């Protein structure tokens, strides 16, 4: 009954947090109103005298705009690009094919062998080659235009815009050759050239011109730029004013009973548009609020059920739920600030901070899920929601990939640069797609992306603040804790050097195992460094610190010795709390012995007092047993490393037997039933321990002594 009450109480607390978050987000969402009056053109105004509540423009009707657009398009000048140096390719092709066909042409057309007048060293064949090349070059220099179907039949006086060397200049259509005109000009020029230098039959000349297939060397070098033309059309249409005047605040618009004329209707339509675009009041406003409430509530319900079904560990911690909701609401609040302040663009807000911080404290799946839902809500504050979502989601993914484990400040700088690059690439791609012109890219956006990247560096101090406020533990802090220069570890190295070395070896074993089976290797290493700090109170009572052969346990009863050894758990917890070590590190101190017995003292006491009833609790550690994968691995590593020091021989069989016996005994005594670790993972841990111990205690060859030479 008590557990049921606690469960419902926990759920109610979470639901109240979500309700509060929903209310905050709905409150800051943008509102839109609706014009309250009903009217129809040609009918009398049924309402009270209407006075302009604010200044607003008078918008043109669709019919007026259509006429203006048609008139603007009548004078539109299409764009063509001049392809420079195109003649070189065709001139070279002509000369190559003309020379290749020399023998056939000379044998077929005898007049080609006639010498040129005034230059007997060359025949007509050579002269035609030179002249044809010159004419082809002149044709291409003037330009050959190919008109699209929509401009076919236009008069030669039609003006086009020709782009040469990145400059657009107006030309009349008649200033260029069409394909047919270019062919006629080339044929007539060659015919005229031959007639002036030969007495050949005109029919032979015509056959010769046809045989040369001059059309192969002609092609349009004025290319119609459809995209540029469409863009310029759009610009031309956009430049058409949508308004035809303005109404000032306080101006009378219409009186009761007055007929709504065409002009008055335009003013009323304009007021309606402006009014609905501003904040409105009335019944419609409540429906707007209801719709926004539904959207926000549904998104937060999705977050709630994700935590409930897939992240129960997070759901069960009220501080974690509070932190996640705080992050989401904070990002949306920043978006609302950008929406209301013109000097605060939304793209300088570092939305990638959310997935970075959640990834550092939790995992990538939760980080990405919350990032997407937050971006969907924040998109309502962006001018172009589609563009906003397309750019923010990849930026969030980049932030998680680039900061998989943040242990150095340089990683954060690298992540910021990669996020800036992601924003820039996606923005450039979207701009090219939407505008079709690289010159239309807004370079101010790149400055906003750089500011965004700079603000991402706030992650570093925010990590520290959130750790202190919510009790989280980041990889950065774990690296700092595992530093042997930490005051607690320095005291451990000075007063209990054997324990210090033991902790390092346990950390090495446990870290390798956690790497293999999945988990946080930095956490298990830091936990290993502190798991035995309770021995600082009386280091001489632990064998690894008894270097001078003195063992105080020899003169003490076994039950008292057991209590001294067991007490190092409680002492370690108190010392860790005094040093303000994180709760996650204290868990390693509390669980590294589980509820196992001090076998040496327990067995010795039984052997000494065979007839006495033994209180086994006097020889048992207080627990709890390990309840995470990392604490379970540390317990195995601690016992295996300590026991390995007592081996008389370090053969492979001895090491294998040692690891199997110790971990199997821990399993038999139910030390891992609370830990999320499988038998397969335990088997993998065993294999890693065996290999590591064999590498540590591998046999070394005996170096031969150098024999002295005989004199």
């Amino acid at each position: 009954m008590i557990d049921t009450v606690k469960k419902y109480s926990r759920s109610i607390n979470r639901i109240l947090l979500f309700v509060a978050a929903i209310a905050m987000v709905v409150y800051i969402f943008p509102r839109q109103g609706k014009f309250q009056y009903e009217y129809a053109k040609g009918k009398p105004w049924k309402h009270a005298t209407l006075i302009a509540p604010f200044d607003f423009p008078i918008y043109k009707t669709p019919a007026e705009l259509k006429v203006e657009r048609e008139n603007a398009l009548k004078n539109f000048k299409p764009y063509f690009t001049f392809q420079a140096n195109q003649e070189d390719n065709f001139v070279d092709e002509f000369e190559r094919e003309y020379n290749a066909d020399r023998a056939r042409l000379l044998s077929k057309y005898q007049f080609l062998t006639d010498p040129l007048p005034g230059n007997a060293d060359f025949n007509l064949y050579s002269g035609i080659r030179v002249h044809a090349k010159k004419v082809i070059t002149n044709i291409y220099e003037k330009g050959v235009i190919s008109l699209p179907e929509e401009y076919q039949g236009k008069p030669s006086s039609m003006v086009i815009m020709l782009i040469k060397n990145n400059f657009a200049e107006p030309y009349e259509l008649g200033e260029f050759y069409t394909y047919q005109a270019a062919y006629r000009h080339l044929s007539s020029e060659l015919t005229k050239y031959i007639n002036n230098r030969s007495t050949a039959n005109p029919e032979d000349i015509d056959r010769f011109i046809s045989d040369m297939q001059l059309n192969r060397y002609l092609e349009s070098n004025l290319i119609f730029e459809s995209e540029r033309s469409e863009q310029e059309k759009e610009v031309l249409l956009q430049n058409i004013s949508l308004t035809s005047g303005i109404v000032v605040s306080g101006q009378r618009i219409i009186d009761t009973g007055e007929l709504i004329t065409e002009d008055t209707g335009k003013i009323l339509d304009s007021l309606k548009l402006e009014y609905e675009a501003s904040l409105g009041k009335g019944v419609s406003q409540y429906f707007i609020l209801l719709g926004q409430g539904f959207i926000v509530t549904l998104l937060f319900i999705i977050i709630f059920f994700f935590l409930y079904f897939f992240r129960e560990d997070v759901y069960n911690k009220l501080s974690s739920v509070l932190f996640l909701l705080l992050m989401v609401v904070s990002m949306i609040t920043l978006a609302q600030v950008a929406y209301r302040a013109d000097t605060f663009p939304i793209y300088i807000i570092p939305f990638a901070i959310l997935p970075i911080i959640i990834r550092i404290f939790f995992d990538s799946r939760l980080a990405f899920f919350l990032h997407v839902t937050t971006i969907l809500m924040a998109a309502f504050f962006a001018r172009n929601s589609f563009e906003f979502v397309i750019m923010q989601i990849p930026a969030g993914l980049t932030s998680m990939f680039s900061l998989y484990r943040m242990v150095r400040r340089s990683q954060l700088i690298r992540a910021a640069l990669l996020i800036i690059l992601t924003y820039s690439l996606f923005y450039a791609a979207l701009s090219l797609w939407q505008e079709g012109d690289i010159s239309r890219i807004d370079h101010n956006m790149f400055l906003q992306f750089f500011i965004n990247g700079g603000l991402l560096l706030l992650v570093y101090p925010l990590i520290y603040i959130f750790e202190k406020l919510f009790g989280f533990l980041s990889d950065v802090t774990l690296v700092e804790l595992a530093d042997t220069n930490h005051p607690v570890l320095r005291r451990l190295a000075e007063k209990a050097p054997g324990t210090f070395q033991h902790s390092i070896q346990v950390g090495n074993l446990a870290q390798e195992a956690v790497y293999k089976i999945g988990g946080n290797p930095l956490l298990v290493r830091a936990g290993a460094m502190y798991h035995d700090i309770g021995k600082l109170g009386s280091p001489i009572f632990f064998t690894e610190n008894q270097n001078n052969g003195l063992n105080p346990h020899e003169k003490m009863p076994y039950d008292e010795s057991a209590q001294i050894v067991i007490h190092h758990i409680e002492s370690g917890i108190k010392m860790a709390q005094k040093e303000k070590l994180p709760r996650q590190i204290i868990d390693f101190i509390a669980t590294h012995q589980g509820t196992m017995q001090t076998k040496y003292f327990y067995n010795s006491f039984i052997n000494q007092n065979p007839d006495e009833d033994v209180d086994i609790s006097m020889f048992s550690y207080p627990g709890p047993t390990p309840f995470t994968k990392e604490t379970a691995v540390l317990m195995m590593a601690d016992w295996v490393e300590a026991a390995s020091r007592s081996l008389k021989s370090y053969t492979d069989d001895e090491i294998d037997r040692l690891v199997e016996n110790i971990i199997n005994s821990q399993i038999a005594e139910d030390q891992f039933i609370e830990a999320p670790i499988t038998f397969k993972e335990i088997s993998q841990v065993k294999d890693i321990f065996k290999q590591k111990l064999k590498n540590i205690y591998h046999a070394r060859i005996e170096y031969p002594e150098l024999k002295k030479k005989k004199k």
Side-chain angles (χ1 to χ4, degrees):
M1 181 66 179
I2 295 176
D3 291 340
T4 303
V5 172
K6 288 182 177 179
K7 180 180 179 181
Y8 281 111
S9 176
R10 184 170 61 245
S11 297
I12 291 172
N13 290 337
R14 274 63 174 174
I15 292 172
L16 289 176
L17 277 178
F18 272 87
V19 170
I22 291 169
M24 291 179 65
V25 173
V26 172
Y27 177 76
I28 64 177
F29 251 55
R31 305 280 185 264
Q32 286 185 330
K34 185 179 179 182
F35 196 59
Q36 303 102 315
Y37 303 103
E38 296 293 335
Y39 62 93
K41 295 175 184 178
K43 302 291 183 180
W45 178 253
K46 299 179 181 179
H47 310 283
T49 299
L50 183 61
I51 305 297
F54 45 76
D55 296 346
F56 63 92
I58 302 173
Y59 293 100
K60 297 175 183 177
T61 64
E64 291 175 331
L65 290 174
K66 181 180 179 182
V67 172
E68 290 191 21
R69 291 190 180 106
E70 289 175 351
N71 291 333
L73 292 177
K74 285 180 182 178
N75 300 319
F76 174 71
K77 305 176 183 65
Y79 280 74
F80 291 78
T81 299
F82 184 83
Q83 302 286 339
N85 301 322
Q86 188 171 344
E87 67 274 15
D88 294 338
N89 296 330
F90 289 102
V91 167
D92 293 342
E93 183 180 354
F94 166 78
E95 185 169 22
R96 183 173 58 255
E97 294 181 2
Y98 187 74
N99 290 334
D101 208 22
R102 174 187 174 90
R104 186 185 69 82
L105 292 174
L106 289 175
S107 63
K108 186 174 181 181
Y109 306 101
Q110 296 298 320
F111 64 88
L112 295 178
T113 60
D114 296 341
L116 286 175
N119 192 351
D121 294 333
F122 294 92
N123 56 15
L124 186 58
Y125 176 89
S126 301
I128 292 172
R129 178 179 57 202
V130 174
H131 189 65
K133 289 166 58 178
K134 180 180 178 181
V135 175
I136 292 172
T137 301
N138 291 337
I139 288 173
Y140 278 105
E141 287 178 351
K142 184 175 181 180
V144 181
I145 189 169
S146 177
L147 291 173
E149 186 174 348
E150 59 183 305
Y151 296 107
Q152 294 287 345
K154 293 289 183 180
S156 60
S157 59
M158 173 186 170
V159 178
I160 67 169
M161 298 299 293
L162 183 61
I163 303 173
K164 283 186 177 182
N165 300 322
N166 295 326
F167 289 98
E169 296 179 339
Y171 288 85
E172 287 189 358
L173 196 60
E175 296 181 63
F176 309 103
Y177 291 107
T178 62
Y179 179 85
Q180 294 80 2
Y183 179 79
R184 288 196 300 269
H185 176 73
L186 178 57
S187 300
S188 64
E189 284 295 314
L190 290 180
T191 302
K192 187 187 300 181
Y193 180 86
I194 297 172
N195 284 329
N196 291 337
R197 291 161 178 79
S198 174
T199 58
N201 190 323
E203 294 180 357
D204 291 337
I205 297 175
D206 290 339
R207 284 196 299 272
F208 169 72
I209 296 298
S210 299
D211 205 358
M212 291 176 67
Q213 299 182 26
L214 297 173
N215 60 298
R216 294 179 297 172
Y217 314 112
L218 296 174
E219 190 173 294
S220 300
N221 65 338
L222 270 66
I223 308 302
F224 176 61
E225 292 290 342
S226 58
E227 292 186 3
R228 175 67 182 274
S229 298
E230 288 301 320
Q231 290 170 13
E232 293 299 329
K233 279 184 181 179
E234 290 296 325
V235 171
L236 184 64
L237 295 176
Q238 289 172 6
N239 288 334
I240 296 175
S241 176
L242 300 178
T243 64
S244 59
I246 189 170
V247 176
V248 297
S249 177
Q251 178 179 332
R252 183 186 65 82
I253 298 176
I254 192 170
D255 288 328
T256 304
E258 185 177 340
L259 195 66
I260 302 175
T261 64
E262 189 69 23
D263 291 338
T264 308
K266 285 173 57 178
I267 296 175
L268 290 172
D269 291 342
S270 302
L271 176 59
K272 179 180 179 181
L273 289 173
E274 289 295 310
Y275 190 85
E276 290 183 348
S278 64
L279 298 178
K281 295 181 180 180
V283 177
S284 61
Q285 184 66 19
Y286 295 106
F287 283 109
I288 293 170
L289 184 63
L290 182 63
Q292 292 176 343
F294 270 133
I295 292 174
V296 176
T297 301
L298 289 173
L299 289 172
F300 273 101
I301 287 175
I302 291 172
I303 296 174
F304 179 86
F305 282 115
F306 179 85
L307 296 178
Y308 185 82
F309 288 109
F310 300 105
R311 289 306 307 267
E312 188 177 358
D313 57 327
V314 178
Y315 176 81
N316 289 332
K317 294 180 182 177
L318 187 63
S319 61
S320 297
V321 176
L322 176 62
F323 167 74
L324 296 177
L325 294 179
L326 178 65
M327 288 292 296
V328 173
V329 173
S330 298
M331 290 292 104
I332 298 172
T333 302
L334 288 175
Q336 191 258 3
V337 172
Y339 176 78
R340 293 188 177 275
D342 294 334
T343 58
F344 187 66
I346 195 169
Y347 284 104
I348 71 172
I349 299 175
F351 286 97
I353 280 182
L354 185 143
I356 288 175
I357 292 180
I358 296 179
R359 169 63 191 86
I360 288 173
F361 292 141
F362 299 98
D363 59 31
S364 298
R365 184 174 63 167
L366 180 59
F368 181 68
F369 182 85
L370 285 179
H371 177 63
V372 171
T373 52
T374 303
I375 292 303
L376 289 176
M377 286 185 277
F380 287 95
F381 299 92
R383 288 187 177 88
N384 189 331
S385 299
F386 171 77
E387 177 184 283
F388 178 80
V389 172
I390 289 297
M391 292 174 61
Q392 294 296 343
I393 291 180
L397 287 171
T398 301
S399 68
M400 289 185 289
F401 296 153
S402 57
L403 275 178
Y404 180 69
R405 289 201 180 280
M406 194 181 83
V407 296
R408 293 183 300 276
R409 285 171 292 184
S410 60
Q411 291 178 280
L412 184 58
I413 297 175
R414 182 190 63 184
L417 293 175
L418 289 174
I419 290 170
I420 292 171
L421 180 62
T422 302
Y423 275 128
S424 301
L425 291 177
F426 272 88
Y427 171 70
L430 282 171
S431 297
L432 290 175
W433 175 26
Q434 294 170 347
E435 302 292 343
D437 186 354
I438 194 170
S439 64
R440 293 183 179 274
I441 294 178
D442 185 2
H443 295 88
N444 290 327
M445 291 293 293
F446 297 106
L447 176 61
Q448 295 179 28
F449 299 150
F450 272 99
I451 296 174
N452 185 307
L455 292 175
L456 281 172
L457 301 181
L458 291 173
V459 165
Y460 206 76
L462 285 175
I463 289 173
Y464 177 79
I465 294 172
F466 290 142
E467 282 183 330
K468 298 304 179 184
L469 289 177
F470 297 96
F472 297 141
L473 191 60
S474 68
D475 290 343
V476 176
T477 301
L478 290 173
V479 171
E480 294 173 352
L481 288 172
D483 186 356
T484 55
N485 288 316
H486 192 282
V488 175
L489 298 182
R490 285 179 63 84
R491 292 205 307 271
L492 187 66
E494 180 181 351
K495 295 183 179 180
T499 301
F500 179 74
Q501 293 299 323
H502 162 71
S503 299
I504 292 176
Q505 293 301 325
V506 170
N508 291 336
L509 287 173
Q511 188 174 29
E512 287 298 320
V514 170
Y515 267 124
K516 178 68 176 179
I517 67 173
N520 191 335
L522 294 175
L523 176 61
V524 78
R525 170 169 281 281
M529 296 302 294
Y530 292 89
H531 80 284
D532 268 344
I533 60 172
K535 295 180 180 180
L536 274 172
S538 52
I540 194 65
F541 283 91
F542 299 90
T543 56
E544 66 266 23
N545 299 312
Q546 297 169 359
N547 296 327
N548 53 9
L550 178 63
N551 186 354
H553 291 293
E554 294 177 353
K555 300 178 181 180
M556 296 176 62
Y558 293 119
D559 53 349
E560 292 184 15
S561 294
Q563 284 299 301
I564 291 175
V565 172
I566 290 171
H567 185 67
H568 88 276
I569 301 293
E570 183 181 351
S571 298
I573 293 173
K574 290 180 178 178
M575 185 180 299
Q577 292 172 341
K578 182 180 178 181
E579 296 291 338
K580 296 182 179 179
L581 294 180
R583 173 187 51 79
Q584 294 89 334
I585 300 299
I586 297 176
D587 290 340
F588 286 95
I589 300 173
T591 62
H592 76 274
Q593 295 290 352
T595 56
M596 299 286 285
Q597 291 84 39
T598 54
K599 291 292 187 181
Y600 175 83
F601 298 116
Y602 175 73
N603 293 342
S604 298
F605 185 87
I606 292 294
N607 293 335
Q608 189 180 64
N609 306 284
D611 299 327
E612 185 175 337
D613 292 334
V614 181
D615 183 4
I616 195 170
S617 64
M618 297 292 293
F619 298 90
S620 301
Y621 287 97
T625 58
F627 50 83
T628 66
K629 189 175 293 187
E630 289 82 3
T631 53
V633 171
L634 178 75
M635 181 180 185
M636 299 181 213
D638 180 42
W639 282 62
V640 166
E641 201 283 331
S644 68
R645 296 171 180 265
S646 63
L647 287 176
K648 296 180 180 179
S649 62
Y650 294 99
T651 63
D652 290 355
D653 291 340
E654 287 292 331
I655 290 174
D656 291 347
R657 192 178 302 111
L658 171 74
V659 173
E660 290 288 344
N661 290 340
I662 288 177
I663 296 180
N664 288 341
S665 67
Q666 292 173 335
I667 295 173
E669 296 194 28
D670 297 331
Q671 297 302 298
F672 306 131
I673 58 174
E674 299 294 332
I677 189 169
T678 64
F679 283 111
K680 178 181 179 181
E681 290 171 337
I682 292 175
S683 179
Q684 292 173 327
V685 171
K686 289 180 181 178
D687 293 338
I688 292 170
F689 286 173
K690 293 173 186 177
Q691 187 60 44
K692 290 288 290 184
L693 290 175
K694 291 172 185 177
N695 292 339
I696 294 172
Y697 299 115
H698 69 279
R700 293 175 173 82
I701 62 172
E702 183 178 352
Y703 290 95
E705 295 183 357
L706 183 63
K707 296 180 179 180
K708 295 182 179 180
K709 295 182 179 180
K710 295 181 180 180
K711 295 183 180 179

